Amino acid sequence: MNRRTLRPFQRRSGVSLGLALALALAVTLWMLSGSFVGSGEGEQEPEDPARSAARLRVQVTDSLAQRVTNEVVVQGQLEPWRRLTLRAQVEGKVTALPVEKGAWVEADTLLVELAEDDRPAQLARAQADVAARELELSAAETLGQRGMQAQTQIKTAQAELARAQAEATRLRLEMEWLAIRAPFAGVIDGRDVELGSFLQRADAIVELVDDSRLKATAQVPQQRAGALAIGQPVAVELLDGTLAQGRLIYISRVADAKTRGFRIEAEVPNAERRLASGVSAELRIHTGEVDGHFLSPAALTLNDKGEIGVRTLDAENRVQFVRVDLLRTQSDGLWVSGLPASARIITRGQGFVSEGEQVEPVPQEDGV
């Protein structure tokens, strides 16, 4: 190949090499520029997972306060107005039982009679002894006025008379105690003796129960006792549905050592004696009126302090805990106080959220 032949080729090769270099430089610059673009304004920041996560859905209901009767409701029992076990005051054999067990008796009715034995003779002798001692004392005092009797002899006569009088009084009382009578009107609920039984002092004879009135008794928790006052009306309901009305007559001033509750008693009329004593009863004590909300028991929950309350939502759908007080219960729900006049109450899902958490509310009728 000669020089003439090489020159055109060299000229063409120089052009191609320059073009290749220019293209390589352009590609390099494009690649470099691409790396900067990726980190510049054109790149989107990854979304915060906490912000993108779906909020927990809870079921809520809108509740408005209503004026309701405030009551203290406790479980108790009916007790007889008076109950007494009569006991023998003297020894003796039972000679008469004029009243049968279960009978209603008026006050002073003879219930049991004991044998007199020789007590009338003993009483007669004691009375004669009293008369003799009175004569002796009179004679001693007369002689003492004349200076013919020492004062010690007069004192001795006075002492003997007092002894004789005491013995006569004791025997008279024993004669009276032979007849056991009812101290008040009531029913003979039990009898521990029969004709011919021999009684010692303090032996039980009969049990007398006055159920013309009854006492409804119960223990009231210390947190509710402050709302009670003497004279408040009390509604009493027995297990069989029987209803009765009474009034509060007693509130203990000292809490029970075991339950920390306060004993209360309500007087319940029972003139027809249709109510039996000793049975369980529910006492509802009216203490006034208050604004309350009607809820399902399932809406109640506990906070970290163990307080009873409900979880509600504020305007930003954040969870709040509101402590409530139980007013009264019904078969289909319960009434509570402590909530504002209007409240959005979480009825389902309250156990899975915490105070301050933002949630998505779902109306109760739509379900969760």
Side-chain angles (χ1 to χ4, degrees):
M1 186 177 297
N2 56 27
R3 287 184 193 206
R4 292 180 183 177
T5 307
L6 289 174
R7 283 177 187 163
F9 176 80
Q10 290 176 347
R11 197 178 297 120
R12 288 194 297 267
S13 299
V15 174
S16 300
L17 180 61
L19 179 60
L21 290 175
L23 289 175
L25 179 61
V27 169
T28 302
L29 291 176
W30 176 80
M31 293 178 63
L32 289 175
S33 65
S35 64
F36 287 105
V37 169
S39 60
E41 294 180 358
E43 181 181 356
Q44 295 182 351
E45 295 183 6
E47 187 175 358
D48 186 355
R51 271 188 253 167
S52 62
R55 295 172 182 168
L56 184 65
R57 304 174 72 203
V58 294
Q59 184 172 321
V60 299
T61 183
D62 293 321
S63 178
L64 297 176
Q66 302 178 46
R67 200 68 179 169
V68 295
T69 300
N70 194 10
E71 294 179 332
V72 174
V73 182
V74 289
Q75 300 300 316
Q77 57 278 327
L78 291 181
E79 298 179 3
W81 186 252
R82 287 181 289 186
R83 186 171 190 166
L84 177 65
T85 298
L86 298 177
R87 297 181 180 275
Q89 294 178 275
V90 294
E91 295 180 353
K93 184 174 68 174
V94 177
T95 58
L97 292 170
V99 180
E100 293 297 326
K101 183 170 62 176
W104 174 268
V105 297
E106 298 295 334
D108 204 40
T109 299
L110 179 64
L111 306 178
V112 179
E113 193 168 21
L114 303 181
E116 292 182 345
D117 296 329
D118 65 342
R119 288 186 179 90
Q122 292 183 41
L123 178 58
R125 184 168 60 249
Q127 291 173 337
D129 192 24
V130 169
R133 299 303 177 183
E134 287 176 343
L135 290 174
E136 289 178 2
L137 177 59
S138 179
E141 289 175 342
T142 300
L143 292 174
Q145 291 173 357
R146 297 176 182 178
M148 300 173 63
Q149 186 76 278
Q151 288 297 316
T152 55
Q153 292 176 320
I154 296 175
K155 294 297 184 182
T156 299
Q158 290 174 340
E160 288 296 321
L161 175 59
R163 180 195 58 77
Q165 290 174 332
E167 179 65 10
T169 300
R170 183 185 69 80
L171 290 168
R172 276 196 298 271
L173 288 174
E174 283 196 4
M175 292 290 293
E176 294 177 4
W177 292 337
L178 295 174
I180 294 95
R181 298 181 179 276
F184 53 82
V187 63
I188 305 301
D189 194 55
R191 192 175 68 188
D192 299 316
V193 300
E194 295 294 341
L195 285 175
S197 299
F198 187 85
L199 302 179
Q200 301 286 346
R201 287 178 181 270
D203 281 350
I205 303 175
V206 296
E207 186 173 89
L208 184 64
V209 173
D210 177 8
D211 59 355
S212 60
R213 290 179 290 173
L214 299 176
K215 287 186 291 187
T217 65
Q219 294 276 341
V220 175
Q222 53 185 320
Q223 62 267 29
R224 304 303 306 274
L228 303 182
I230 299 298
Q232 287 175 331
V234 179
V236 179
E237 183 175 359
L238 307 186
L239 294 180
D240 62 359
T242 302
L243 301 176
Q245 297 295 323
R247 66 181 185 89
L248 200 60
I249 60 171
Y250 171 75
I251 306 171
S252 174
R253 302 300 300 172
V254 180
D256 183 88
K258 295 181 180 179
T259 65
R260 301 301 178 188
F262 291 84
R263 178 183 171 89
I264 62 169
E265 296 179 1
E267 179 183 0
V268 180
N270 192 33
E272 299 178 357
R273 299 175 58 213
R274 65 183 183 90
L275 300 176
S277 58
V279 299
S280 300
E282 182 182 73
L283 280 63
R284 293 180 174 270
I285 307 167
H286 179 79
T287 59
E289 291 187 343
V290 67
D291 289 336
H293 291 257
F294 187 73
L295 305 175
S296 166
L300 297 181
T301 187
L302 297 175
N303 64 3
D304 295 337
K305 299 178 181 178
E307 298 173 326
I308 298 177
V310 296
R311 286 192 166 91
T312 63
L313 297 183
D314 62 12
E316 298 178 351
N317 294 330
R318 296 190 182 276
V319 179
Q320 295 178 323
F321 178 86
V322 182
R323 192 181 68 83
V324 298
D325 293 316
L326 180 64
L327 296 177
R328 72 167 190 258
T329 60
Q330 297 178 188
S331 59
D332 55 343
L334 48 84
W335 291 91
V336 299
S337 64
L339 290 166
S342 176
R344 282 198 302 166
I345 301 170
I346 301 177
T347 57
R348 289 187 63 184
Q350 67 270 36
F352 301 97
V353 296
S354 58
E355 196 165 355
E357 181 180 351
Q358 197 167 28
V359 298
E360 180 184 348
V362 178
Q364 181 168 321
E365 58 272 15
D366 295 341
V368 176

